[in-house]
Amino acid sequence: MSTRTLESIKVQIDEIVEKDIVPHLEFWEQERIVPFHLINNLGSKGIIENICREPDGFDNKLYLAKKIGKLSLGISSTILNTLNIPLYLLRNYANEELKQKYLSPYLQGKLIGAVAITEPHGGSNFINNCETRIKIYENHVELSGKKHFILNIPGADFVIVLAKSGNGNILSHTLVLVPLDLIDSNGIFIERIQTSGLHTAALGIIHFNNVLLPKEYVIGRLHKGLIYLENALTEERLVGTYALMSMTEEVIRETYSYVNNRPMFESKLADLQSVRHKLAELSAEYEIANLFLEDVIKQWRAQKSRDSSTKAAMAKLVCTQAALKVINGCLQLYGGRGFLHEYKISRIYRDALGSTSFAGTLEMMKEIISNRKI
Amino acid sequence: MTYSVTHTIFREEIKSIIDKYIKPNVDRWELNQSVPRELFQILGKENLLGLTISRENGGRGLDISYTLILVEELMKINAVGIASSILIQLNTVVPLLARFGNDHIKEQFLTPIIKGEAIGALAVTEPSGGSDLLKSVKCQAERHADKWILNGEKMFITNAPIADKLVVLVKTKNSQSPLSMSLLAVDTRKKGYSVNQLFKIGQKSSPIGHIHFDNYEVPIENVIGKLNNGYMMVIDVLYEERFIIGYGAICLAKEAIKQTINFLSKRFYKGKEIINYQSIRYELAEYLSKIEACKSIVNAVADSIIKGKIDRARATIIKFHLCEIAQQIIQRCHQLHGSYGLYENSWIDKALRDVRIMSVYAGSSETMKDFASVNLIPSLYR
């Protein structure tokens, strides 16, 4: 029974990919359209609900990341961002009222969520650099500040905001859900950022000017925001990296096929020793990183320990570096064509540049690793 | 691949043997430019020279994961040359004799080698070339009545200067087909055999030699496995050896990082321990991550060996990529030791010299890529 559901979810994911994404992909990328409606498609087929359900849910989420990741890093960012942190926070820490109002429609794909952590003056270093403040009153809270580089903004129906609520370090941040249906009239102002890549993902800035919210919109307990985010961020790193590695594998596959078909010096590119060796080196980078990621994901799922979150930082570092090396190296093998819009590699190259800073820059990963291992 | 209690017990056993017999002698053997015969006698007595071959053949019947433990522990004490001398027997000579040898060969060659009464070596490479075996093997065996007559040279042969028994790859058919070579089990103590030791910059305790056969007589029954099948047999064990070498390289690099962290915790720059500078910390964090990552591919290939069919593509990746990563890391660790790295035979000096050959022997990175890039690696993406 359970295998049948598992397979049918995967079949449904395949169907969405083939029917709802592949035929439109190039158009969306070209016109910079963010296909938020895909969330609705996923929800209406029960996929969002399924990925929350263990034991198969996480596998199915990875499957989704793999399938969409190899098509477009923009779309995978949009979808995975929706399915990762906002959903995790709603499910695990929201009160019943919020769950009723937001979680149920969310599972059906009727709502899009976002999570706002990064600010103009700092991203991963949110312990010290969080300037967005939340004031707590008896029945309501008041939010002021600015969040930057927020995925799914504009587009999301609500955003969960990390704001400083105390003066200490770890236990002084609170998460609050902010509905975005009353934009502008309510002290909320949103802009979309023009990014060089990831054109099928929305990235935005969001301002809060003394926004008043009922106290029930606080997620979980006051001042515990960072604690709640810790596991969610690790998981987001892993799932996002998984999508990136899926794309990397696809790039290698397509490049092998390209060099085997491209004529060169009375033969073809693939027959040149320098090309063969280069691709062998790039494949090595990918194989090592990818096998590591798979092991780390296994360990993370089994333990959710500090050690496994350190390994997740290592995996994000190693995999992102490998992916960039592979994508950059493969673009070179395409010659001038690698620079043309009509070749997918040009888009992937631009999109991949974003992956070095998503969910923590590579430097932040080194910070985490060196603090824990040296 | 998962490690069990048996692995932990084995590791403890290995550690105590290493502490007792090897660690106190590393410097002396380096200075002597050779491991002594006693090393093999001791390992033979502990039954460590037949780790992965069956009990019927006198071995321990363990899988490759135990060899990995032995390698790791030897690298931890920076005994790279010693490891090379041991591993050439453990991973090539012994498995070839055990898998393919007839009863006579098992009795005359395998048993004394496993017991540590005789030292073995694998003689494949020649002055004209190494990994390119089909073209480069010129050493020839001709059949005369009930004997093979051997003529030719073998070069860069680990353990050759001290070896009593050799497994030699020779041409037995005049063609360049893969089915033109055979493996012979050869005693070294007769007329017509000579060997010169070659002296090198690293891995000094593993002696290597240049062998000459001059109308050297070998009994007819000393053919290992099927006649003319030698190349195929060698290729198989070479993949395992390459895999082990790649693993050894990253174990050494891991230890080098540890040494560097310790060293930099006691060195100061502008009144602050060097290890507390961000550029140093980030660089080392990157290396720690790379080494950690390499373990997964090693485990995947180890699994494939245990299941009976080595993953050749990834084993080759391990050889050419992990050795290069290890070299880069150890070179940087040497740099981070500052002038202290210049001390002859300091830990990091020795590691740097010793790791250098790892991307060369048992198939250079270049030949590895050349072999694997035609079919082996591309087939992973078809």
Side-chain angles (χ1 to χ4, degrees), chain B residues 141-156:
Chain B
E142 269 182 76
R143 192 172 168 168
H144 287 273
D146 57 344
K147 288 187 183 73
W148 291 102
I149 306 292
L150 239 73
N151 277 296
E153 298 169 51
K154 291 288 173 184
M155 203 164 178
F156 304 118

Side-chain angles (χ1 to χ4, degrees), chain B residues 126 128 133 135-141 151-154 171:
Chain B
E126 300 195 4
S128 56
L133 294 176
K135 295 261 166 67
S136 63
V137 171
K138 307 231 165 23
C139 192
Q140 199 184 14
N151 277 296
E153 298 169 51
K154 291 288 173 184
K171 274 270 180 217

Side-chain angles (χ1 to χ4, degrees), chain B residues 28 31 43 177 201 210 277:
Chain B
R28 193 158 51 87
L31 208 65
L43 296 176
S177 126
I201 62 161
H210 183 178
Y277 281 89

Side-chain angles (χ1 to χ4, degrees), chain B residues 339-363:
Chain B
S339 301
Y340 282 84
L342 295 176
Y343 274 90
E344 192 171 9
N345 297 329
S346 64
W347 200 102
I348 196 70
D349 165 64
K350 196 166 156 301
L352 182 63
R353 286 187 288 106
D354 287 354
V355 80
R356 186 61 195 84
I357 194 66
M358 295 180 101
S359 61
V360 176
Y361 66 13

Side-chain angles (χ1 to χ4, degrees), chain A residues 39-44 48 104-112:
Chain A
I39 303 291
N40 203 308
N41 300 6
L42 290 168
S44 64
I48 302 180
S104 310
Y106 207 88
L107 292 172
Q108 294 161 30
K110 289 179 180 160
L111 287 178
I112 312 284

Side-chain angles (χ1 to χ4, degrees), chain A residues 17 54 112 114 118 120 142 168 172 178 186 235 257 276 279 281 290 341 351 366 372:
Chain A
V17 166
E54 285 307 331
I112 312 284
T118 304
E142 186 181 336
S172 56
V178 184
N186 205 19
E235 198 159 308
S257 138
R276 278 197 286 120
L279 271 170
E281 286 162 17
N290 189 52
H341 273 304
D351 287 353
K366 292 179 196 172
R372 294 181 183 183

